[in-house]
């Protein structure tokens, strides 16, 4: 084979291979996560509509259905997969989403103001008092990734070149459970700053 033809074939093969791949980046720093976004929206769960549910305890808890949670801002579809429709907004001065106080739950991003195609490219949140939950990320290409959340308090964010359709919080591979604990706040959805496609990066590297 002529050297030029061989190089052309090699570049084409690398480009095709690289373009089918995608990368996800996990961040434990909100500032680092936010610095990579071109646009975003944050749900801090302080909207007064969150306090219009049936009050269970005047000092701590409100009860919401999945439907009620979903329609307050209309930016995320909420679904409890542990105890059904027991979504707890904890605290009177600072509300948080705590369906994960009652086992597993799922957040769907297929229809938000940040959605492009079938998902978003960035999701992040502050978390509190978490137990050993997994975040199972479902991408628009049909693949999934499992990420184990750290125990305690912190921040968790993911950005991806493949659209993120949903994230299940609970057991490995999105398994449901009625045990475990995950309280989240300041749920952030976003789009990342534009970066070169993987195929372009491969060509630049060889160049």
């Amino acid at each position: 084979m002529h050297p030029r033809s061989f190089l052309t074939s090699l570049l084409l093969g690398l480009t095709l291979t690289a373009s089918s791949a995608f990368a996800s980046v996990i961040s434990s720093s909100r500032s680092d996560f936010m610095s990579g976004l071109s646009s975003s929206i944050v749900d801090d769960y302080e909207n007064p509509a969150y306090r219009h549910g049936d009050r269970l305890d005047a000092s701590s808890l409100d009860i919401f259905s999945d439907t009620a949670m979903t329609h307050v801002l209309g930016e995320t579809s909420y679904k409890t997969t542990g105890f059904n429709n027991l979504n707890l907004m904890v605290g009177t001065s600072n509300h948080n989403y705590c369906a994960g106080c009652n086992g597993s739950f799922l957040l769907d991003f297929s229809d938000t103001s940040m959605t492009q195609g079938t998902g978003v490219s960035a999701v992040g949140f502050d978390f509190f008092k978490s137990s050993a939950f997994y975040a199972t990320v479902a991408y628009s290409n049909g693949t999934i990734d499992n990420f184990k959340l750290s125990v305690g308090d912190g921040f968790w964010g993911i950005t991806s070149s493949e659209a993120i359709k949903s994230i299940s919080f609970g057991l490995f591979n999105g398994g449901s459970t009625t045990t475990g604990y995950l309280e989240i706040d300041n749920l952030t959805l976003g789009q990342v700053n534009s970066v070169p496609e993987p195929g372009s990066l491969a060509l630049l590297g060889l160049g």
Side-chain angles (χ1 to χ4, degrees):
M1 180 181 291
H2 191 278
R4 181 174 295 177
S5 299
F6 174 77
L7 180 59
T8 301
S9 299
L10 177 61
L11 289 175
L12 179 60
L14 286 174
T15 302
L16 291 174
T17 300
S19 63
S20 64
F22 67 94
S24 294
V25 177
I26 302 299
S27 177
S28 59
S29 164
R30 175 170 285 277
S31 60
D32 289 347
F33 172 78
M34 295 299 294
S35 69
L37 304 185
S38 58
S39 58
S40 63
I41 185 170
V42 179
D43 189 353
D44 61 6
Y45 303 112
E46 298 305 317
N47 189 305
Y50 283 127
R51 298 185 175 89
H52 292 172
D54 296 327
R55 184 58 67 103
L56 177 66
D57 182 315
S59 64
S60 61
L61 306 177
D62 285 330
I63 296 179
F64 282 77
S65 68
D66 293 332
T67 300
M69 283 295 305
T70 297
H71 284 97
V72 170
L73 292 187
E75 293 289 344
T76 303
S77 177
Y78 292 83
K79 181 181 180 182
T80 51
T81 56
F83 293 115
N84 290 334
N85 294 332
L86 189 57
N87 306 319
L88 308 181
M89 307 302 300
V90 178
T92 54
S93 60
N94 182 31
H95 274 41
N96 309 304
Y97 182 64
C98 201
C101 299
N102 303 281
S104 53
F105 62 99
L106 180 144
L107 304 180
D108 186 279
F109 315 109
S110 57
D111 185 18
T112 81
S113 62
M114 292 289 107
T115 298
Q116 293 184 354
T118 57
V120 299
S121 55
V123 180
F125 53 86
D126 302 310
F127 64 89
F128 310 95
K129 303 175 182 176
S130 70
S131 49
F133 268 25
Y134 282 93
T136 301
V137 179
Y139 302 99
S140 60
N141 65 359
T143 62
I144 64 170
D145 270 337
N146 285 283
F147 302 96
K148 193 168 185 177
L149 300 179
S150 60
V151 175
D153 302 347
F155 174 83
W156 188 85
I158 178 172
T159 58
S160 176
S161 58
E162 182 71 27
I164 301 165
K165 293 181 64 176
S166 65
I167 305 179
S168 299
F169 298 92
L171 303 181
F172 191 80
N173 278 347
S176 62
T177 178
T178 55
T179 61
Y181 190 101
L182 179 62
E183 180 180 340
I184 69 173
D185 199 3
N186 301 314
L187 176 65
T188 305
L189 311 182
Q191 293 298 331
V192 298
N193 295 318
S194 59
V195 295
E197 291 294 325
S200 301
L201 289 174
L203 293 175
L204 289 172
L206 286 170

